[in-house]
Amino acid sequence: MRALDLKLMRDLRRLWAQCLAIALVLGCGVMVLVLATGTERSLRLTRDAYYDRGHFAQIFAAATRVPKQLLPEIARIPGVAQVEARVSMNVVVDLPGMVEPAQARLLSLPAAGAPVLNRPTVRLGRLPEPGRIDEVALSENFAEANGLAPGASFAAILNGQRRALRVVGLVLSPEFVYLIGPGALMPDDRHYGVIWMNEEPAAAAAGLSGAFNDLSLRLTRGASEAAVIAAVDRVLAPYGGTGAHGREQQVSDTFLRGELGQLGAMALILPPIFLIVSAFLVNMVLSRLILLERPVIGLLKAMGFTGREIAVHYLKLSIGIGVGGVLLGWIAGAWLGARTTQLYTEFYRFPYLIYAPGTASFAISAVMGLGAVALGAVRAVNASARLRPAVAMQPPAPPLYRLGRIDAAAIRMGLRQTTMMILRSITRWPGRAAVTVLGVSAAMSVLVACFFTFDSIAAVIDEAFTRTNRQQVTLHLARSVPATATEAAAHLPGVTRVEGAFGLPVRLTRGWRSALTQVEARSDGDTLVRVLDGNGRVVAMPPAGLVLPETLAAKLGVAPGDVVTLSLLAPPRDTVDVAVSRVLPQSLGETAYIAAPALFALMRVAPQVNRLNLLVDTDRLPALYAAVKTAPAVDGVLLWTGIRAQFDATIRENLIRSVMIYAVLGVLITVGVIYNAARIQLSERSYELASLRVLGFTRAEVGYVLVGELMLLTFLAIPPGLLGGYGFSALISAGFSTDLIRIPLVISRQTYAVAALIAAVSALGAALVVRRRLDRIDLATALKQRD
Amino acid sequence: MSDQVAFRVEGLTKTYASGAIAVQALRGIDLALYEGELVVLLGPSGSGKSTLLNILGALDIPSTGRIFFREHELTGMSDAALTAFRREHVGFVFQFYNLVPSLTARENVALVTEIAKRPMRPEEALERVGLGHRLAHFPAELSGGEQQRVAIARAIAKRPEVLLCDEPTGALDSATGVTVLEALYEANRDLGTITALITHNAAIRRIAHRTIRLADGRVASIEENPQRMEPAGIEW
Ligand SMILES: Nc1ncnc2c1ncn2[C@@H]1O[C@H](COP(=O)(O)OP(=O)(O)OP(=O)(O)O)[C@@H](O)[C@H]1O
Ligand SMILES: [Mg+2]
């Protein structure tokens, strides 16, 4: 090996800790890129493959009752490739050993053969055999959460009739990758599932013999989705069609899309930030490292090495660090990516996982990572290589200190001389201090943004559960009843307060934009479910206009004062123009609101209810549950405490995992910055510091000069760090909001405090490690030579 | 030594403009160095010895004046050409040994032999300075005199035509200094290397062909030395 390369190897070995610290920071940026893009790509490929193999439908429609004779007409609609007609109904489920009722969606399986669309994948057991009226297959997560294996039995209330059903198989379906009950905000595997049953008993139970009420379609290549939807709507309108829609409004797919969007945003927002910070750091550390090599550079020049050869030598050093960082990042990113993808496939129900991070993210991250270090090195080497050898070989002139205003103030304060040394060092090299401050504040920003996600989720939970939905139980009624029936519910066991609610499917249209959603009737007296404005105040309903959540308004491109076309997708199925009165910021949901009298006037009916919100005496909940399990009018139950517990559990579990990763990154950046700053200080000032020891200063006093300066800089990094954290959080809030959830930008004081504290503790740790080196320094050699 | 001029220096000045005050390190030097000669540069501190040596070795460039090495004019050459000049013709020895601390004695020498045109083997160069047995030692494991001899081995290993030494014995005691001088003396005698040697030690002038005294950035005097001594004969 050439002598210069030997020097390189030995330099790398001598500086291993510093090189590792740089490599780690660089690795963080690389890792985030590989992780985010790798997970996004894998999840997307898994989804696409599953949709493809499971023949996931492209258009979905529901109606009240459609005779089967209509199927050929639907199949003839231009652009329709395949049609699947089913019976679908919501049922209350009574599970053995569970006090509260559960809820399920019951779907029919075709009489002959497997479904052509939305094919269930059997995970355990089998599908119901033709002719068996009590056999059912269950969605795997629901069955697992309730310990139901093939062979188990349970009861369901089908259209008011209690039926014993036998589980024969557990299945997954591309339709329910993310399974969430109507009106629920989160999956609740214990209380909501899907039941597949043979067509004959299902149709009989639903009173739909010879008919269907649920339709799925797959389109021919190149067909216009909008045209097919319009045609299907026309065909189904006489039969109570509630509006066909594409995948963009299919609940499971929408959640998946949201998740992919978030991962995409993560891949776009985070890695550049990390890479820029690490590039900056690498740049700073390398320039300073190379500055220390100045005499060697001078010597090499004196010996006749060309500037190029010298530059290449140092470039190799930094590329060595870069390669180390990129490899670390690749390994960590690929490993975490595989694990994260695995977790996603558990959270989202996929029967298999395709982990294919793709080569692009590896290539891009390598180019960016190596580019960052090479750039840092080139700048530094150029500065030194341009010097004339005679100048380079001389030790740099002693730094010129000048008395400034800060010094005057410090002198007046009568600070100790060691403190003066700290202040002078900072004021003499403000650029260097600024880089350290910048690095630490970047780390703090990452930490703030990490913990901000908890704050925002807490705000969402508070909004959704504490302030908006204050009921304990919501009962869904099988069909609308006059509002006067609300009184009857007050007599259910344990009920202390009842409020009726009414919602119906509508299509809102403005110009070429349209959205399928629910409109909710709001009465003045409603206190359980509330509509709040951005400041948490109850919104007074305008007498006639619509109140829309921001997300829906954005989708329609409307502002208060605009007029939208409202098509009722339930009798009398009228279409009217309505003004938008108000737009509200809201974290969850896309429901439109209107004053109850206005809605019922539009519908030309007396006030009705199709949901009941209840406050219940907790002690008597079991009695209420028992009553609900047998009430024929109820086809669905939402237990809000259960939803909330589930929400907390899943969100937090997922969040903690990713937050942990980013917290580690924040700590690594801090440690990388401070450790390197300390090492450079140590090598540049070892003479000075050793002199202090010779003068009789104690180790602690000398250590104070080193650690004190770094801690002062860390302290100075707090304001910009927290400010940066706010900006970073704002980016995340914007980038991570999906159609279904808007991430509010709220950051608690605790978040700021914890972020600053973690950064400060990591900085102190890193500085103390270097201080131990200072303690071990050999005075004689330190006074003789540098580093 | 011969009559053939190797280095010719005409009207050389060097002004350092560091900060507000400009320092005139050289104030007009005219000088010739001959093929194969060993000259000693003497002069008080700050008289411009190092500055002159650095300019001769193309480590630095003059403010005004011209320098010729044989038929080539160094002044006005590009940086690349100056680098090539150093690489092919010049060896340096500095007061503070200037070894690369992460390389062993042999590797420090190899550093140069790898880029030279017709070098000796590093082992041979180290044997010449009496260090054939310390090949695998790192600078930190060598004494000052040994380190300086490694530096000399490194300088002569490429068989340079010019050897420029800035106080090579400045940091050494007399006995160690003599061994270092012997290495230089032999290189000059055996290889015909033009050697310029800065020292504060007037006794060393006895090994030289000529002694050039600088004072205040000018040549104060030039003495021939008809009765050269071997380094072993001097003491300080
Ligand atoms: N890089 C520089 N910047 C400014 N002034 C310089 C520089 N190098 C040398 N000088 C000045 O130029 C003058 C000559 O310096 P030089 O180093 O050549 O002296 P010298 O004869 O080698 O002294 P010494 O015997 O102390 O080594 C001195 O006054 C010195 O202060
Ligand atoms: Mg000098």
Side-chain angles (χ1 to χ4, degrees), chain A residues 3 10 299 301 303-304 309, chain B residues 86-87 98 102 107 112 114:
Chain A
R10 300 216 177 106
L299 181 69
K301 288 202 91 175
M303 289 196 284
E309 285 166 328
Chain B
R86 286 198 302 271
R87 188 171 181 141
N98 275 344
S102 56
E107 289 159 359
V112 171
E114 280 166 3

Side-chain angles (χ1 to χ4, degrees), chain B residues 199-210:
Chain B
T199 179
H200 277 285
N201 185 341
I204 293 176
R205 75 177 190 280
R206 289 193 226 137
I207 70 166
H209 294 107
R210 290 193 301 157

Side-chain angles (χ1 to χ4, degrees), chain A residues 551-738:
Chain A
T551 42
L552 184 58
K555 205 182 254 182
L556 292 167
V558 294
D562 292 345
V563 172
V564 293
T565 306
L566 173 78
S567 311
L568 301 176
L569 298 176
R573 306 188 73 86
D574 283 357
T575 294
V576 289
D577 284 346
V578 186
V580 174
S581 304
R582 224 175 142 172
V583 171
L584 301 174
Q586 192 175 297
S587 296
L588 295 165
E590 280 199 325
T591 303
Y593 306 99
I594 190 168
L599 180 63
F600 295 121
L602 278 179
M603 295 175 68
R604 302 191 295 274
V605 292
Q608 298 192 330
V609 296
N610 55 10
R611 262 174 318 162
L612 297 171
N613 292 313
L614 310 179
L615 276 188
V616 187
D617 178 357
T618 328
D619 293 342
R620 301 197 54 204
L621 270 174
L624 175 69
Y625 291 154
V628 166
K629 282 178 182 175
T630 57
V634 176
D635 74 350
V637 194
L638 280 182
L639 308 174
W640 286 86
T641 42
I643 295 172
R644 179 171 184 162
Q646 187 79 21
F647 194 100
D648 280 7
T650 21
I651 288 267
R652 271 171 206 265
E653 189 186 325
N654 288 318
L655 216 56
I656 282 174
R657 208 169 286 125
S658 53
V659 162
M660 281 307 288
I661 296 174
Y662 289 106
V664 167
L665 296 189
V667 170
L668 279 182
I669 292 184
T670 314
V671 169
V673 173
I674 295 292
Y675 183 79
N676 276 300
R679 281 298 297 272
I680 286 166
Q681 283 276 17
L682 186 63
S683 52
E684 282 176 2
R685 300 179 77 187
S686 59
Y687 182 85
E688 193 177 339
L689 298 176
S691 312
L692 283 180
R693 293 269 290 120
V694 172
L695 291 177
F697 282 81
T698 63
R699 290 213 163 113
E701 283 164 333
V702 176
Y704 164 73
V705 176
L706 184 77
V707 177
E709 172 170 344
L710 294 167
M711 291 319 289
L712 180 60
L713 292 178
T714 303
F715 188 71
L716 290 178
I718 292 178
L722 301 187
L723 215 66
Y726 182 84
F728 200 174
S729 305
L731 270 179
I732 290 180
S733 149
F736 282 34
S737 291
T738 68

Side-chain angles (χ1 to χ4, degrees), chain A residues 1-4 6-7 10-11 14 296 299-307 309 388-391 393, chain B residues 14 54 59-61 79 83 86-87 92 94 98 100 102-104 107 110-112 114-115 138 154 158:
Chain A
M1 194 184 273
R2 293 185 50 133
L4 214 50
L6 275 175
K7 169 180 176 303
R10 300 216 177 106
D11 284 348
R14 178 171 56 95
V296 178
L299 181 69
L300 291 175
K301 288 202 91 175
M303 289 196 284
F305 281 91
T306 62
E309 285 166 328
R388 274 193 221 108
V391 182
M393 264 189 301
Chain B
K14 175 73 183 178
N54 286 345
L59 292 184
D60 211 344
I61 50 171
D79 192 57
T83 301
R86 286 198 302 271
R87 188 171 181 141
F92 289 97
F94 303 99
N98 275 344
V100 178
S102 56
L103 297 179
T104 62
E107 289 159 359
L111 198 56
V112 171
E114 280 166 3
I115 60 166
F138 283 96
R154 189 177 64 187
K158 65 175 167 190

